[in-house]
Amino acid sequence: MPSANSRSSYKTVQKFSPDYAPCTITKYESGRTGMSVVVVDREGPKVNGFFTLATEIHDDSGAPHTLEHLCFMGSKSYRYKGVLDKLATRAYSNTNAWTATDHTAYTLDTAGWEGFAQILPVYLEHVIVPTLTDAGCYTEVHHIDGTGNDAGVVYSEMQGVQNTQGELMDLRAKRLLYPKTVGFRYETGGMMEQLRILTADRIREFHRDMYQPKNLCLVIVGDVDHADLLRILDSFESTIIDDIPRPDAPFKRPWVESDPAQPLTNSILEIVEFPEEDETSGEITVSFFGPSCDDLLHATALNVLLVYLAGSSASILENTLVEKEQVASAVYYSVEVRPKMLIQFALSSVATEKLHDVEKRFFEVLTDAAANQLDMTYLKDCIVRERRLIKNSVETSSTPFSEPIIYDFLFAKRDGSMLKADLLNLDEFYELVSWPEDKWRQLIQSWFLDAHHVTILGKPSVELSKKLKSDEEARIEAQRERLGPVGLERLEKKLADAKAENDRDIPKDLLAKFPVPGTESIHFITTMTARSGAAKRLGHLDNKVQKLVDGDDTSSPLFIHFEHIQSNFAHVSLVIGTEAVPVALRPLLTIYLENMFTSPIERDGVRLEFEQVVMELERDTVDYGIGSGSTLGNSEVLCMRLSVEVEKYALAIQWLEEIIWNGIFDLEVGSRIASTTVRLLADVPEAKRSGSSMLSAIEEMTDSAPASISRARSTLVNALYLKGVRYHLQNDPELIIRQLEEIRAALFQFSNFRAVVVANVEKLTNPVSSWKDFTAKLDTSKALKPLDKRLSRVSEAGLTPGKLAYIVPMSTVDSSFALSVGKGPSSLRDPRLPALMVALSYLDAVEGPMWVAVRGTGLAYGTSFSRHTDSGQISYNVYRSPNAFKAFQTGRSVLEDFVSGKTEFDRFALEGAISSIVLSIANSQATMASAASMSFIRQVVRELPDNWNDMVLESVRKVKVEEIRAVMKELLLPVLSAGTANLFVTCAPVMEGELMKGFQGMGFQPEVRTLAWFQDDYGMNVPEGEDMDEGEEASDLEEEDESENGLS
């Protein structure tokens, strides 16, 4: 065993195999530097690394977050910005990072061990001995540009979140929960006012304090060569030993040796305002301290109890407050793993005038739960299901155990004893099953009712929106006046100098030292396909699984596609065509699907209420639901799914049958549908607060035809359509009931059905004949219809882009977002596709041309191209920018320079682009279940041959530079050009004028519109004055009326 190698400084601290997962977990620790390594061995094409440091700070400076960004700017031996990512891209890898309150994690996402091993020491040097230059800090963190505006990658990121509802409420809760001596009190991302004065020296100081090998744990998941890993790490330590503090120097371990959080001495309730033009609904959060994170039994009991209280529509809080009393649209819960765990409940979309009342009602419901008899049958079902979910997650996750390993490193003993106790088995669930009711009731009492808490009532405020806008305008204007023309010119030069220093060319011989690895270590997952019924028309298969299926074939005509994998679970899906649903009723699918698994059913002549249905579904399944078929490669179909233990395969099919045909829609159910409608309507204001989400929404409303399922179910349709549904439920409920039945009849036909079974088929009893009763309910005389095509549901504006441009100011955002959409290939067999794939991979690479030009200069947090072959479109997205026009204009200039030949293509970057395509293929089949899904998509949805991936890789490797330049000119440049692209922008109101002027200068003719202008009621209108919401102002209605001039 490698750890027994006496010459390695790394010794095995812990090694075990969980009894419920096909993997082995090994923990090593260096006797030389104290660095920890935990390897989770599992088969598959991917190797994932999470290089985690415990980070603690007692201010809002943002030093942890800014340091995370700056570590990618170069290191001791690789003193060039972007060299890490250029090398990683060539090695089938992606890098990324995140900053949490209690740790910073750097990720390495690779196809195959060889690429991972090549990049690992380079990456670790960037973390332990980064350059941290003044120039890097200036461009990446914060600077003032020549126009007097604040910019910087980190600054832009925090500008987009600091004044949002969630951030404002969360920050105030932190301040009330923790004293100044506890790091959990602070915003580690950085407050804008603090980022404006943060110095490079402060960041260097934080790095010196926290970024030591003894405070670093490498979590690696995948098919790992342990001997090679330890050899690499031993060698790496030799290169940095003189650059780090003495390993035996005193070190205060973050969090573990810091002041602990003290119990609250009293309960606190505060109102926090957030900027919002719609003042009808707010939010509530209630926070408690829970058990210690090292108390495995009680931590598990807490998770089970939270599921029991708020895990589904049948749970106590959700059923009472959402389903019956309709005072909130949802009750969520979350648990933050900390030395003292933090429990938080969130009640969304609560009527603003009822915030105080609903908060009181929340505690009344908890009090009643503790005082009355608990449903121990349901609670025990929750225990069993949680255990089942963990077993399923280790199969379906590409990075199982990474999160608990990180938290073990942060808070537990370094000997791995708690790690083994936590992950070796699931015995704690068996102990919880034996707990008496009184014990559970006592936990509700002690954790929630007797414990002090912090409640935040989030209240929307138009005045705050106006104040933030005017304050920011005044601050920028004062800043410009203070600096004056000379000062602004000086800052422009300072920025240019910093960019020049950061953007020094990387020597070609440095890149050449790192060859593109072979693909031999990338172990792609293979599945085995079998077909039954109409699926056999796709071709005859000759394999052992097909023989099993044929042996049980009852000559059923039902299309059934089997994917054989090694699994303890069966994943049963029904892909459903939607063409038969009348277009006018397609928005009603939102309500129909929402109620699909939460409606009463009739069983053997007995009515089962929805609470009983939900409880039984949770008892029998791992997962269930219905929604868009986008996960199976087609957003215009629906996908109904159930995942069960493999021995319950026939039961899953029985559930499909009952839910589809035995679900009850009657006047009694009408009140429940009304409840769903009210809840979904209450969610609309919150959904309309996101600049990024609304950017996608207005594009969807414009470029998709009304027939599109995704358009019909969008927020900007729900905003009007659901009001019409609510009105008719109050005045003519039978109309809505009839329409729901019409949807059921249109959807659930033999001609619309394709069943997909992903399982170990050898373990299935009667893989085909189990469907006999299901098929008997179908009229099999009708032929199977072709799958619905996204391209057929693109609007005229989407098919002929270049005529429309919109700017939508939003008071809820502090930055700007842009999206342009042009025409692209509509077939995967388009001969331009290989060159287009390479071009997009080249442009969008981390530290690639777009990254360097836009993110690297602080013009936006990010940009990206997207190829939508199903709709024949290509899009370009600018995400969270202080000025989306500048970011957009810069992106276009990058393309123009490649097209004109002014910028040459880099050979090493082209190799990296092809490697990224290899990684994308590995990402799509990182687990058994995802590999099975991709097999179905390839064969059935896209109708491609078995060797398609090999054909693609062969084609992209043959692409010539001239072909790449041609697709940039013919396909990509038009996406950023007036006359050939539709343009959409959402922004802070203060940015409207500047963005308008900029885009007009590029030839676009933007119209300024409100979100309401894009709304569409699909004919489900409400008589004027008949449906004014409680508290809704006339001005709100006037804004909605504007939709008559828009897209309805």
Side-chain angles (χ1 to χ4, degrees):
M1 187 64 204
S3 61
N5 184 347
S6 60
R7 291 173 295 175
S8 175
S9 67
Y10 284 84
K11 305 303 178 186
T12 304
V13 176
Q14 198 66 255
K15 183 178 181 180
F16 59 93
S17 296
D19 64 11
Y20 54 94
C23 68
T24 299
I25 299 175
T26 308
K27 179 170 184 176
Y28 301 103
E29 187 173 285
S30 170
R32 190 178 188 186
T33 65
M35 189 190 302
S36 299
V37 185
V38 182
V39 179
V40 181
D41 283 298
R42 64 173 281 145
E43 295 180 358
K46 299 291 298 299
V47 180
N48 292 92
F50 304 85
F51 311 147
T52 307
L53 299 117
T55 46
E56 179 179 2
I57 197 167
H58 291 180
D59 61 42
D60 299 315
S61 66
H65 184 200
T66 54
L67 177 56
E68 170 225 306
H69 283 249
L70 292 171
C71 280
F72 290 93
M73 302 286 281
S75 69
K76 178 182 73 169
S77 304
Y78 308 93
R79 307 184 69 84
Y80 302 93
K81 175 190 172 188
V83 65
L84 170 63
D85 287 299
K86 287 182 181 294
L87 294 175
T89 301
R90 288 166 53 77
Y92 317 119
S93 301
N94 272 334
T95 69
N96 209 331
W98 74 75
T99 302
T101 304
D102 49 25
H103 70 276
T104 304
Y106 296 84
T107 64
L108 180 58
D109 177 22
T110 308
W113 170 251
E114 188 178 344
F116 189 96
Q118 180 171 290
I119 296 304
L120 179 60
V122 181
Y123 201 160
L124 292 180
E125 186 182 283
H126 277 72
V127 173
I128 299 299
V129 279
T131 53
L132 300 183
T133 65
D134 289 344
C137 185
Y138 193 68
T139 59
E140 193 76 7
V141 179
H142 171 263
H143 58 265
I144 300 172
D145 65 21
T147 65
N149 288 305
D150 297 271
V153 176
V154 177
Y155 189 84
S156 298
E157 180 181 355
M158 299 314 295
Q159 183 183 49
V161 300
Q162 181 165 312
N163 289 313
T164 60
Q165 164 252 318
E167 182 70 14
L168 290 169
M169 293 176 67
D170 182 60
L171 184 63
R172 188 56 191 154
K174 289 179 184 177
R175 300 291 204 240
L176 297 173
L177 286 162
Y178 299 103
K180 293 181 179 179
T181 57
V182 177
F184 292 115
R185 173 186 177 90
Y186 298 98
E187 174 49 77
T188 53
M191 304 292 285
M192 284 190 287
E193 53 272 22
Q194 295 293 315
L195 290 169
R196 290 196 287 265
I197 61 173
L198 179 62
T199 66
D201 283 340
R202 177 68 183 97
I203 300 170
R204 293 182 190 115
E205 178 188 8
F206 184 78
H207 181 273
R208 184 171 57 253
D209 292 342
M210 294 288 163
Y211 279 49
Q212 300 185 33
K214 69 179 75 172
N215 193 36
L216 172 63
C217 180
L218 313 183
V219 183
I220 305 174
V221 184
D223 197 346
V224 176
D225 183 331
H226 286 243
D228 194 28
L229 170 65
L230 299 186
R231 179 191 60 77
I232 290 167
L233 294 178
D234 280 323
S235 175
F236 169 72
E237 287 189 339
S238 298
T239 67
I240 55 102
I241 196 70
D242 295 331
D243 299 294
I244 61 174
R246 274 190 9 257
D248 60 352
F251 179 74
K252 181 181 178 181
R253 187 176 169 191
W255 310 112
V256 174
E257 298 175 13
S258 302
D259 290 346
Q262 297 300 316
L264 295 169
T265 56
N266 61 291
S267 293
I268 305 170
L269 183 149
E270 282 199 9
I271 296 174
V272 171
E273 291 189 339
F274 59 89
E276 173 60 89
E277 292 182 356
D278 185 336
E279 295 186 325
T280 58
S281 67
E283 312 289 320
I284 300 173
T285 61
V286 188
S287 303
F288 307 85
F289 288 124
S292 297
C293 67
D294 59 1
D295 184 346
L296 176 60
L297 183 63
H298 282 90
T300 305
L302 172 62
N303 285 325
V304 169
L305 189 57
L306 290 171
V307 170
Y308 176 82
L309 292 172
S312 74
S313 56
S315 61
I316 294 171
L317 289 167
E318 183 88 8
N319 188 255
T320 304
L321 300 176
V322 178
E323 300 294 341
K324 293 178 180 176
E325 299 179 5
Q326 302 174 27
V327 294
S329 66
V331 179
Y332 304 103
Y333 67 85
S334 62
V335 177
E336 294 284 347
V337 179
R338 294 172 181 177
K340 272 290 185 183
M341 299 176 80
L342 182 66
I343 309 160
Q344 187 173 87
F345 289 96
L347 287 74
S348 62
S349 303
V350 178
T352 304
E353 69 277 6
K354 295 180 180 179
L355 287 169
H356 285 89
D357 294 337
V358 174
E359 192 264 351
K360 292 177 183 177
R361 183 63 183 137
F362 170 83
F363 281 99
E364 289 173 357
V365 175
L366 282 178
T367 301
D368 290 344
N372 298 318
Q373 185 174 1
L374 300 180
D375 185 341
M376 290 303 295
T377 300
Y378 178 51
L379 199 152
K380 289 180 179 180
D381 284 346
C382 291
I383 296 171
V384 174
R385 189 167 195 260
E386 285 299 292
R387 185 177 71 236
R388 197 161 58 227
L389 285 169
I390 291 174
K391 290 182 176 180
N392 182 62
S393 70
V394 299
E395 285 191 11
T396 56
S397 170
S398 61
T399 55
F401 303 119
S402 57
E403 187 172 306
I405 292 171
I406 287 173
Y407 286 117
D408 179 84
F409 170 72
L410 295 179
F411 304 127
K413 295 178 181 178
R414 289 288 171 85
D415 62 5
S417 57
M418 280 300 300
L419 182 68
K420 183 175 182 179
D422 189 10
L423 300 181
L424 180 62
N425 55 51
L426 302 175
D427 288 354
E428 62 273 14
F429 287 96
Y430 296 102
E431 183 172 347
L432 293 180
V433 170
S434 68
W435 277 15
E437 179 186 352
D438 285 349
K439 195 159 188 174
W440 292 102
R441 191 182 290 113
Q442 288 167 7
L443 291 183
I444 297 175
Q445 192 72 40
S446 61
W447 283 338
F448 305 127
L449 298 179
D450 293 341
H452 295 302
H453 59 272
V454 169
T455 297
I456 302 295
L457 306 183
K459 183 180 179 182
S461 170
V462 171
E463 286 304 313
L464 181 59
S465 297
K466 295 176 181 177
K467 183 178 185 301
L468 289 172
K469 176 183 177 182
S470 62
D471 286 355
E472 181 67 0
E473 288 174 336
R475 188 188 68 79
I476 295 294
E477 188 57 36
Q479 182 166 273
R480 288 169 176 157
E481 290 181 10
R482 173 173 54 81
L483 293 168
V486 175
L488 291 173
E489 185 176 342
R490 177 178 55 81
L491 290 177
E492 184 73 17
K493 183 178 185 306
K494 183 179 179 180
L495 178 60
D497 290 344
K499 290 178 181 177
E501 181 179 339
N502 292 337
D503 296 337
R504 291 177 300 136
D505 289 340
I506 301 170
K508 302 297 184 186
D509 59 346
L510 175 60
L511 298 175
K513 292 178 182 178
F514 293 82
V516 176
T519 57
E520 294 80 10
S521 69
I522 306 175
H523 302 143
F524 289 102
I525 296 172
T526 59
T527 66
M528 194 173 292
T529 302
R531 296 166 180 158
S532 176
K536 287 186 173 181
R537 296 173 191 166
L538 296 177
H540 174 73
L541 298 171
D542 184 12
N543 57 58
K544 65 176 183 178
V545 179
Q546 186 64 57
K547 289 181 173 63
L548 284 172
V549 168
D550 290 342
D552 185 48
D553 201 335
T554 57
S555 300
S556 168
L558 182 67
F559 183 111
I560 311 177
H561 179 103
F562 293 92
E563 286 293 333
H564 173 68
I565 63 173
Q566 295 303 313
S567 174
N568 292 314
F569 297 90
H571 308 280
V572 181
S573 300
L574 198 61
V575 178
I576 308 165
T578 58
E579 187 60 33
V581 179
V583 171
L585 294 186
R586 292 183 187 183
L588 194 58
L589 282 168
T590 298
I591 291 174
Y592 185 85
L593 302 183
E594 190 75 15
N595 283 280
M596 189 84 188
F597 286 92
T598 56
S599 290
I601 64 171
E602 182 178 324
R603 181 184 293 164
D604 300 326
V606 178
R607 180 187 179 107
L608 272 65
E609 294 302 332
F610 87 89
E611 292 93 343
Q612 185 64 33
V613 172
V614 171
M615 287 181 182
E616 291 191 17
L617 277 166
E618 292 184 347
R619 180 195 65 201
D620 293 338
T621 70
V622 175
D623 186 33
Y624 61 89
I626 183 169
S628 165
S630 56
T631 55
L632 290 176
N634 188 328
S635 61
E636 291 301 321
V637 300
L638 300 177
C639 180
M640 188 175 181
R641 70 190 187 284
L642 290 99
S643 295
V644 297
E645 291 160 306
V646 69
E647 60 269 19
K648 295 181 179 178
Y649 170 65
L651 184 59
I653 300 169
Q654 182 181 324
W655 269 116
L656 282 176
E657 181 182 338
E658 284 196 316
I659 294 297
I660 289 173
W661 286 292
N662 296 0
I664 297 173
F665 293 117
D666 57 18
L667 291 180
E668 186 176 342
V669 176
S671 62
R672 169 153 178 73
I673 296 168
S675 169
T676 301
T677 304
V678 170
R679 175 165 52 83
L680 292 172
L681 264 174
D683 282 337
V684 168
E686 182 177 357
K688 290 167 74 173
R689 290 170 191 151
S690 167
S692 178
S693 295
M694 287 302 97
L695 183 72
S696 299
I698 62 176
E699 187 277 329
E700 180 86 64
M701 296 301 294
T702 305
D703 287 342
S704 295
S708 167
I709 296 298
S710 53
R711 182 189 192 274
R713 298 176 60 212
S714 72
T715 297
L716 296 179
V717 171
N718 288 345
L720 291 184
Y721 189 90
L722 294 180
K723 289 187 176 183
V725 173
R726 181 178 62 184
Y727 170 79
H728 288 293
L729 285 170
Q730 293 167 348
N731 295 276
D732 184 13
E734 291 184 352
L735 171 66
I736 303 301
I737 299 298
R738 288 196 303 272
Q739 291 178 335
L740 291 170
E741 289 288 6
E742 188 176 351
I743 288 175
R744 171 155 54 185
L747 284 176
F748 300 115
Q749 303 177 26
F750 170 80
S751 56
N752 289 336
F753 284 170
R754 288 167 175 83
V756 187
V757 178
V758 176
N760 184 333
V761 180
E762 293 174 326
K763 293 183 179 180
L764 296 181
T765 302
N766 304 324
V768 178
S769 58
S770 292
W771 291 87
K772 183 177 180 181
D773 290 344
F774 180 93
T775 310
K777 294 182 178 295
L778 297 168
D779 178 1
T780 59
S781 64
K782 297 180 180 179
L784 184 66
K785 296 177 183 176
L787 286 169
D788 305 305
K789 300 296 184 183
R790 174 89 176 118
L791 185 60
S792 67
R793 296 178 183 179
V794 175
S795 69
E796 180 61 28
L799 292 171
T800 57
K803 302 169 185 174
L804 302 174
Y806 298 110
I807 294 176
V808 180
M810 297 174 60
S811 64
T812 54
V813 300
D814 288 330
S815 53
S816 60
F817 305 81
L819 177 66
S820 58
V821 182
K823 298 190 73 171
S826 58
S827 168
L828 289 170
R829 299 180 186 275
D830 190 302
R832 300 170 296 178
L833 189 62
L836 178 60
M837 291 174 68
V838 176
L840 295 182
S841 183
Y842 186 93
L843 290 169
D844 277 348
V846 178
E847 292 296 343
M850 289 295 186
W851 176 290
V852 170
V854 180
R855 177 175 169 129
T857 57
L859 290 177
Y861 188 72
T863 67
S864 61
F865 282 98
S866 295
R867 171 175 56 86
H868 312 280
T869 311
D870 57 345
S871 60
Q873 295 170 319
I874 300 172
S875 62
Y876 178 69
N877 186 287
V878 175
Y879 180 75
R880 199 182 289 162
S881 168
N883 187 318
F885 161 69
K886 288 185 178 179
F888 189 93
Q889 182 185 47
T890 300
R892 179 180 166 84
S893 296
V894 169
L895 270 177
E896 288 175 331
D897 287 349
F898 277 113
V899 169
S900 68
K902 181 179 179 181
T903 301
E904 295 293 330
F905 288 90
D906 181 89
R907 175 175 66 87
F908 297 103
L910 285 171
E911 291 175 347
I914 294 170
S915 295
S916 292
I917 295 171
V918 175
L919 177 60
S920 69
I921 293 173
N923 285 337
S924 69
Q925 46 190 287
T927 66
M928 288 283 187
S930 61
S933 294
M934 286 306 301
S935 179
F936 172 79
I937 291 170
R938 175 179 51 75
Q939 296 179 63
V940 179
V941 178
R942 296 175 179 167
E943 300 177 342
L944 298 172
D946 291 344
N947 63 339
W948 177 252
N949 286 339
D950 294 333
M951 292 169 60
V952 168
L953 290 177
E954 183 180 357
S955 298
V956 298
R957 287 186 174 117
K958 293 179 179 178
V959 168
K960 296 180 174 58
V961 166
E962 294 77 15
E963 296 174 279
I964 300 172
R965 185 175 285 116
V967 296
M968 285 185 175
K969 179 180 180 180
E970 297 168 16
L971 296 176
L972 299 185
L973 199 55
V975 177
L976 285 86
S977 302
T980 50
N982 292 335
L983 174 70
F984 308 90
V985 178
T986 56
C987 65
V990 69
M991 299 177 177
E992 174 194 322
E994 191 170 0
L995 293 174
M996 172 68 78
K997 181 179 178 181
F999 282 112
Q1000 284 177 336
M1002 290 187 72
F1004 291 97
Q1005 297 300 319
E1007 302 174 45
V1008 177
R1009 298 293 185 186
T1010 64
L1011 287 175
W1013 189 84
F1014 294 89
Q1015 294 175 169
D1016 187 352
D1017 64 11
Y1018 277 70
M1020 182 66 80
N1021 46 39
V1022 181
E1024 187 173 351
E1026 289 289 331
D1027 193 56
M1028 184 179 291
D1029 290 330
E1030 186 176 353
E1032 187 173 41
E1033 300 290 341
S1035 60
D1036 296 327
L1037 295 180
E1038 289 167 6
E1039 184 186 38
E1040 285 173 7
D1041 288 343
E1042 193 181 349
S1043 66
E1044 295 177 5
N1045 300 317
L1047 302 169
S1048 61

